[in-house]
Amino acid sequence: MAKEIIISVKNLTKKYGDFEAVKGISFDVYEGEIFGLLGPNGAGKSTTLEIIETLRDKTSGEVFVDKIDLDKGPDEIKKIIGVQLQTSGYYPGLNLTELIKLFGGLYNQTVEPLQLLDLVNLRDKAKAKYKELSGGQKQRFSIATTLINQPKIIFLDEPTTGLDPQARRNLWDLITNIRDKGTTVIITTHYMDEAEVLCDRVAIIDSGKIIAMDSPDKLIDNLVATGFERPKEVKKANLEDVFINITGHVLREE
Ligand code: ADP
Ligand code: MG
Protein backbone atom coordinates (compact mmCIF):
# COMPACT_ATOMS: atom_id res chain seq x y z
CA MET A 1 0.00 0.00 0.00
CA ALA A 2 1.48 3.32 -1.07
CA LYS A 3 1.75 5.68 1.84
CA GLU A 4 0.40 9.17 1.21
CA ILE A 5 2.26 12.09 2.67
CA ILE A 6 -0.16 14.17 4.72
CA ILE A 7 2.31 16.65 6.25
CA SER A 8 5.46 17.86 4.57
CA VAL A 9 7.90 20.17 6.33
CA LYS A 10 10.87 21.53 4.39
CA ASN A 11 13.82 23.47 5.81
CA LEU A 12 11.70 24.95 8.57
CA THR A 13 13.31 27.59 10.75
CA LYS A 14 12.03 29.67 13.62
CA LYS A 15 13.85 32.54 15.27
CA TYR A 16 12.81 34.19 18.51
CA GLY A 17 14.78 37.43 18.20
CA ASP A 18 18.40 36.35 17.68
CA PHE A 19 17.80 32.87 19.01
CA GLU A 20 17.16 30.18 16.41
CA ALA A 21 14.88 27.61 18.10
CA VAL A 22 14.25 25.55 14.94
CA LYS A 23 17.23 25.24 12.63
CA GLY A 24 16.10 24.06 9.21
CA ILE A 25 14.24 20.81 9.81
CA SER A 26 12.57 18.65 7.15
CA PHE A 27 10.26 15.69 7.62
CA ASP A 28 7.18 14.04 6.17
CA VAL A 29 4.29 12.49 8.06
CA TYR A 30 2.33 9.71 6.38
CA GLU A 31 -1.41 9.44 6.42
CA GLY A 32 -2.70 7.13 9.18
CA GLU A 33 0.47 6.94 11.26
CA ILE A 34 1.39 8.05 14.75
CA PHE A 35 4.41 10.27 14.24
CA GLY A 36 6.46 11.24 17.30
CA LEU A 37 8.59 14.32 17.75
CA LEU A 38 10.98 13.30 20.51
CA GLY A 39 13.43 15.46 22.32
CA PRO A 40 14.47 17.05 25.58
CA ASN A 41 12.85 20.21 26.95
CA GLY A 42 13.64 23.20 24.77
CA ALA A 43 14.42 21.10 21.67
CA GLY A 44 11.84 22.94 19.58
CA LYS A 45 9.00 20.39 19.58
CA SER A 46 6.15 22.71 20.57
CA THR A 47 7.41 25.47 18.30
CA THR A 48 7.39 23.06 15.34
CA LEU A 49 3.95 21.73 16.21
CA GLU A 50 2.43 25.16 16.67
CA ILE A 51 3.80 26.37 13.33
CA ILE A 52 2.14 23.42 11.55
CA GLU A 53 -1.04 24.09 13.54
CA THR A 54 -1.00 27.66 12.11
CA LEU A 55 -0.78 29.06 15.65
CA ARG A 56 2.74 30.46 15.35
CA ASP A 57 4.54 32.18 12.46
CA LYS A 58 7.58 30.50 10.95
CA THR A 59 10.73 32.37 10.01
CA SER A 60 11.43 30.43 6.81
CA GLY A 61 10.79 27.12 5.11
CA GLU A 62 7.75 25.39 3.69
CA VAL A 63 4.90 23.48 5.30
CA PHE A 64 2.19 21.56 3.48
CA VAL A 65 -0.74 19.95 5.27
CA ASP A 66 -2.85 17.65 3.11
CA LYS A 67 -1.23 19.39 0.12
CA ILE A 68 -2.37 22.81 1.36
CA ASP A 69 0.44 25.36 1.50
CA LEU A 70 0.55 26.89 4.99
CA ASP A 71 1.42 30.28 3.47
CA LYS A 72 -1.62 30.23 1.22
CA GLY A 73 -4.34 28.37 3.08
CA PRO A 74 -3.97 28.51 6.86
CA ASP A 75 -7.75 28.64 7.26
CA GLU A 76 -8.16 25.54 5.07
CA ILE A 77 -5.60 23.78 7.25
CA LYS A 78 -7.42 24.75 10.45
CA LYS A 79 -10.54 22.95 9.17
CA ILE A 80 -8.86 19.57 8.83
CA ILE A 81 -6.76 19.48 11.99
CA GLY A 82 -7.56 18.93 15.65
CA VAL A 83 -5.58 20.82 18.25
CA GLN A 84 -5.60 20.49 22.04
CA LEU A 85 -6.81 23.72 23.52
CA GLN A 86 -5.06 25.33 26.45
CA THR A 87 -6.84 24.28 29.64
CA SER A 88 -7.39 27.95 30.45
CA GLY A 89 -9.90 27.85 27.61
CA TYR A 90 -12.21 25.56 29.57
CA TYR A 91 -14.92 27.65 31.17
CA PRO A 92 -14.90 26.51 34.81
CA GLY A 93 -18.65 26.74 35.30
CA LEU A 94 -19.61 24.40 32.43
CA ASN A 95 -19.83 20.61 32.54
CA LEU A 96 -18.26 18.36 29.89
CA THR A 97 -21.44 18.08 27.83
CA GLU A 98 -21.84 21.85 27.79
CA LEU A 99 -18.18 22.37 26.92
CA ILE A 100 -18.39 20.00 23.96
CA LYS A 101 -21.51 21.77 22.69
CA LEU A 102 -19.75 25.10 23.07
CA PHE A 103 -16.67 23.92 21.16
CA GLY A 104 -18.90 22.31 18.53
CA GLY A 105 -20.51 25.71 18.05
CA LEU A 106 -17.11 27.35 17.66
CA TYR A 107 -16.23 24.82 14.95
CA ASN A 108 -19.70 25.14 13.43
CA GLN A 109 -20.22 21.40 13.90
CA THR A 110 -23.16 19.48 15.29
CA VAL A 111 -21.68 17.12 17.83
CA GLU A 112 -23.24 14.41 19.93
CA PRO A 113 -21.51 14.99 23.30
CA LEU A 114 -22.19 11.51 24.71
CA GLN A 115 -20.85 9.83 21.59
CA LEU A 116 -17.65 11.84 21.84
CA LEU A 117 -17.34 11.20 25.58
CA ASP A 118 -17.80 7.47 24.89
CA LEU A 119 -14.80 7.56 22.58
CA VAL A 120 -12.59 8.70 25.44
CA ASN A 121 -14.37 6.68 28.12
CA LEU A 122 -15.85 9.66 29.93
CA ARG A 123 -19.60 9.10 29.50
CA ASP A 124 -20.10 8.84 33.26
CA LYS A 125 -18.49 12.27 33.66
CA ALA A 126 -20.86 13.99 31.24
CA LYS A 127 -22.24 16.22 34.00
CA ALA A 128 -18.93 16.79 35.77
CA LYS A 129 -16.96 20.01 35.47
CA TYR A 130 -13.48 20.00 33.95
CA LYS A 131 -11.86 20.99 37.26
CA GLU A 132 -13.44 17.95 38.94
CA LEU A 133 -11.61 15.50 36.66
CA SER A 134 -8.44 13.55 37.50
CA GLY A 135 -5.27 14.25 35.51
CA GLY A 136 -5.88 11.33 33.16
CA GLN A 137 -9.51 12.27 32.66
CA LYS A 138 -8.51 15.86 31.86
CA GLN A 139 -6.12 14.61 29.20
CA ARG A 140 -8.76 12.29 27.74
CA PHE A 141 -11.24 15.15 27.63
CA SER A 142 -8.76 17.40 25.91
CA ILE A 143 -8.15 14.65 23.33
CA ALA A 144 -11.93 14.43 22.82
CA THR A 145 -11.99 18.15 22.05
CA THR A 146 -9.44 17.60 19.25
CA LEU A 147 -11.91 15.24 17.57
CA ILE A 148 -14.90 17.61 17.49
CA ASN A 149 -14.37 18.76 13.91
CA GLN A 150 -13.68 15.19 12.69
CA PRO A 151 -10.13 16.15 11.72
CA LYS A 152 -7.78 14.22 9.43
CA ILE A 153 -4.86 14.94 11.74
CA ILE A 154 -4.64 15.57 15.48
CA PHE A 155 -1.75 17.21 17.32
CA LEU A 156 -0.93 16.13 20.88
CA ASP A 157 1.78 18.04 22.74
CA GLU A 158 3.08 15.92 25.64
CA PRO A 159 -0.32 14.42 26.43
CA THR A 160 0.96 12.03 29.10
CA THR A 161 3.27 14.31 31.06
CA GLY A 162 2.44 14.06 34.76
CA LEU A 163 0.15 11.02 34.50
CA ASP A 164 0.43 7.85 36.59
CA PRO A 165 1.42 4.57 34.86
CA GLN A 166 -2.16 3.30 34.46
CA ALA A 167 -3.41 6.59 33.04
CA ARG A 168 -0.47 6.68 30.60
CA ARG A 169 -1.25 3.18 29.33
CA ASN A 170 -4.91 4.06 29.05
CA LEU A 171 -4.02 7.10 26.96
CA TRP A 172 -1.74 5.02 24.71
CA ASP A 173 -4.69 2.71 24.00
CA LEU A 174 -6.92 5.67 23.27
CA ILE A 175 -4.41 7.27 20.89
CA THR A 176 -3.85 3.93 19.13
CA ASN A 177 -7.62 3.54 18.68
CA ILE A 178 -7.85 7.00 17.15
CA ARG A 179 -5.06 6.10 14.71
CA ASP A 180 -6.72 2.77 13.91
CA LYS A 181 -9.89 4.65 12.93
CA GLY A 182 -7.86 6.48 10.29
CA THR A 183 -6.79 9.73 11.96
CA THR A 184 -3.15 10.72 11.63
CA VAL A 185 -1.56 11.60 14.97
CA ILE A 186 1.45 13.81 15.67
CA ILE A 187 2.59 13.59 19.25
CA THR A 188 5.47 15.07 21.20
CA THR A 189 7.00 13.33 24.17
CA HIS A 190 10.23 13.02 26.07
CA TYR A 191 9.35 9.53 27.30
CA MET A 192 11.16 7.02 25.12
CA ASP A 193 9.23 4.01 26.44
CA GLU A 194 6.07 5.76 25.33
CA ALA A 195 7.41 6.53 21.87
CA GLU A 196 8.60 2.94 21.47
CA VAL A 197 5.13 1.53 22.18
CA LEU A 198 3.06 4.18 20.48
CA CYS A 199 4.82 5.68 17.48
CA ASP A 200 5.03 4.21 13.98
CA ARG A 201 7.88 6.60 13.21
CA VAL A 202 9.77 9.18 15.22
CA ALA A 203 12.01 12.16 14.62
CA ILE A 204 14.50 12.86 17.37
CA ILE A 205 15.01 16.58 17.66
CA ASP A 206 17.72 18.26 19.70
CA SER A 207 18.57 21.97 19.85
CA GLY A 208 16.33 22.67 16.86
CA LYS A 209 17.76 19.96 14.59
CA ILE A 210 16.51 16.53 13.63
CA ILE A 211 19.29 14.11 14.46
CA ALA A 212 17.52 10.82 13.65
CA MET A 213 14.28 9.73 12.00
CA ASP A 214 12.84 6.25 11.46
CA SER A 215 10.62 3.65 13.10
CA PRO A 216 11.59 2.94 16.74
CA ASP A 217 12.37 -0.65 15.70
CA LYS A 218 14.76 0.45 12.95
CA LEU A 219 16.51 2.99 15.17
CA ILE A 220 17.07 0.32 17.81
CA ASP A 221 18.32 -2.19 15.21
CA ASN A 222 20.72 0.40 13.82
CA LEU A 223 22.15 1.03 17.28
CA VAL A 224 22.52 -2.70 17.97
CA ALA A 225 24.26 -3.12 14.60
CA THR A 226 27.00 -0.75 15.76
CA GLY A 227 27.88 -3.28 18.45
CA PHE A 228 26.01 -1.46 21.21
CA GLU A 229 25.01 -3.63 24.12
CA ARG A 230 23.02 -2.70 27.15
CA PRO A 231 24.59 -3.43 30.52
CA LYS A 232 23.27 -6.88 31.33
CA GLU A 233 19.90 -6.86 33.01
CA VAL A 234 20.13 -8.66 36.31
CA LYS A 235 16.42 -8.78 37.01
CA LYS A 236 13.59 -9.80 34.74
CA ALA A 237 11.28 -7.04 35.95
CA ASN A 238 11.56 -3.47 37.11
CA LEU A 239 9.79 -1.37 39.73
CA GLU A 240 7.17 -0.20 37.24
CA ASP A 241 6.33 -3.87 36.54
CA VAL A 242 5.89 -4.38 40.31
CA PHE A 243 3.70 -1.32 40.57
CA ILE A 244 1.48 -2.28 37.63
CA ASN A 245 1.33 -5.88 38.80
CA ILE A 246 0.18 -5.18 42.34
CA THR A 247 -2.08 -2.22 41.60
CA GLY A 248 -3.53 -3.76 38.43
CA HIS A 249 -3.86 -2.41 34.91
CA VAL A 250 -7.29 -1.07 35.66
CA LEU A 251 -7.60 2.67 35.45
CA ARG A 252 -8.41 4.15 38.84
CA GLU A 253 -9.41 7.75 38.97
CA GLU A 254 -11.74 8.23 41.84
P1 ADP B 1 10.05 22.04 23.46
O1 ADP B 1 8.58 22.03 23.18
O2 ADP B 1 10.83 21.01 22.70
O3 ADP B 1 10.34 21.94 24.93
P2 ADP B 1 9.91 24.79 22.56
O4 ADP B 1 9.54 24.72 21.13
O5 ADP B 1 8.86 25.15 23.52
O6 ADP B 1 10.65 23.44 22.98
O7 ADP B 1 11.09 25.85 22.74
C1 ADP B 1 12.27 25.78 21.95
C2 ADP B 1 13.19 26.91 22.39
O8 ADP B 1 12.63 28.17 22.02
C3 ADP B 1 13.44 26.98 23.88
O9 ADP B 1 14.78 27.36 24.09
C4 ADP B 1 12.49 28.04 24.35
O10 ADP B 1 12.97 28.68 25.49
C5 ADP B 1 12.44 28.99 23.15
N1 ADP B 1 11.14 29.66 23.03
C6 ADP B 1 9.94 29.06 22.90
N2 ADP B 1 8.95 29.96 22.79
C7 ADP B 1 9.53 31.17 22.84
C8 ADP B 1 9.05 32.51 22.77
N3 ADP B 1 7.76 32.79 22.62
N4 ADP B 1 9.97 33.51 22.86
C9 ADP B 1 11.29 33.24 23.00
N5 ADP B 1 11.82 32.01 23.08
C10 ADP B 1 10.96 30.98 23.00
MG1 MG C 1 6.97 21.76 24.45
Side-chain angles (χ1 to χ4, degrees):
M1 198 175 72
K3 286 188 268 182
E4 289 277 335
I5 292 173
I6 194 156
I7 295 176
S8 184
V9 173
K10 293 181 179 135
N11 300 317
L12 180 69
T13 73
K14 173 66 181 182
K15 279 188 178 172
Y16 295 110
D18 289 339
F19 174 68
E20 195 170 33
V22 177
K23 302 189 176 96
I25 62 172
S26 302
F27 61 92
D28 293 328
V29 177
Y30 297 116
E31 195 164 18
E33 73 175 349
I34 300 177
F35 184 85
L37 274 181
L38 316 185
N41 284 330
K45 305 180 296 293
S46 298
T47 300
T48 302
L49 228 57
E50 286 170 18
I51 289 169
I52 305 171
E53 291 167 347
T54 79
L55 300 177
R56 214 177 266 247
D57 289 333
K58 60 182 163 60
T59 302
S60 69
E62 289 179 297
V63 176
F64 294 88
V65 180
D66 203 24
K67 302 196 174 68
I68 306 162
D69 186 342
L70 174 72
D71 291 330
K72 295 183 182 142
D75 293 335
E76 296 304 303
I77 292 177
K78 281 192 187 92
K79 284 182 199 152
I80 58 161
I81 64 171
V83 173
Q84 279 181 301
L85 300 168
Q86 300 298 315
T87 52
S88 56
Y90 296 145
Y91 295 78
L94 301 184
N95 67 36
L96 301 192
T97 305
E98 292 163 338
L99 281 171
I100 289 174
K101 282 189 183 149
L102 175 74
F103 293 140
L106 298 179
Y107 283 118
N108 220 351
Q109 294 269 334
T110 341
V111 279
E112 189 40 70
L114 285 182
Q115 213 176 325
L116 200 60
L117 290 173
D118 264 342
L119 271 180
V120 295
N121 214 356
L122 282 177
R123 176 183 273 261
D124 55 338
K125 294 287 170 188
K127 296 282 178 251
K129 294 187 175 134
Y130 179 77
K131 61 173 187 226
E132 296 161 358
L133 303 179
S134 72
Q137 290 168 338
K138 281 183 175 147
Q139 279 301 341
R140 296 212 300 280
F141 181 69
S142 102
I143 290 176
T145 65
T146 70
L147 298 171
I148 286 175
N149 58 333
Q150 294 171 304
K152 288 190 175 180
I153 311 161
I154 62 169
F155 293 78
L156 305 174
D157 198 352
E158 293 190 19
T160 65
T161 297
L163 298 185
D164 69 42
Q166 279 94 349
R168 287 177 77 211
R169 279 164 178 70
N170 180 267
L171 220 61
W172 297 347
D173 289 344
L174 169 62
I175 294 166
T176 305
N177 286 341
I178 290 170
R179 190 267 322 268
D180 290 347
K181 286 186 184 133
T183 309
T184 306
V185 180
I186 300 201
I187 181 172
T188 71
T189 182
H190 45 244
Y191 299 120
M192 296 306 131
D193 61 333
E194 170 164 303
E196 194 178 334
V197 182
L198 200 56
C199 297
D200 297 298
R201 288 190 317 128
V202 299
I204 299 177
I205 175 167
D206 193 18
S207 304
K209 288 187 187 150
I210 290 180
I211 50 177
M213 182 159 51
D214 215 321
S215 66
D217 213 38
K218 197 73 203 307
L219 289 172
I220 294 165
D221 287 349
N222 290 348
L223 177 63
V224 171
T226 67
F228 177 90
E229 249 184 81
R230 235 191 218 190
K232 209 155 187 68
E233 283 190 32
V234 278
K235 297 184 182 176
K236 289 190 188 301
N238 61 23
L239 187 58
E240 177 147 335
D241 296 324
V242 173
F243 180 82
I244 291 287
N245 196 261
I246 58 178
T247 61
H249 284 268
V250 186
L251 193 63
R252 236 99 44 74
E253 292 170 316
E254 278 71 43

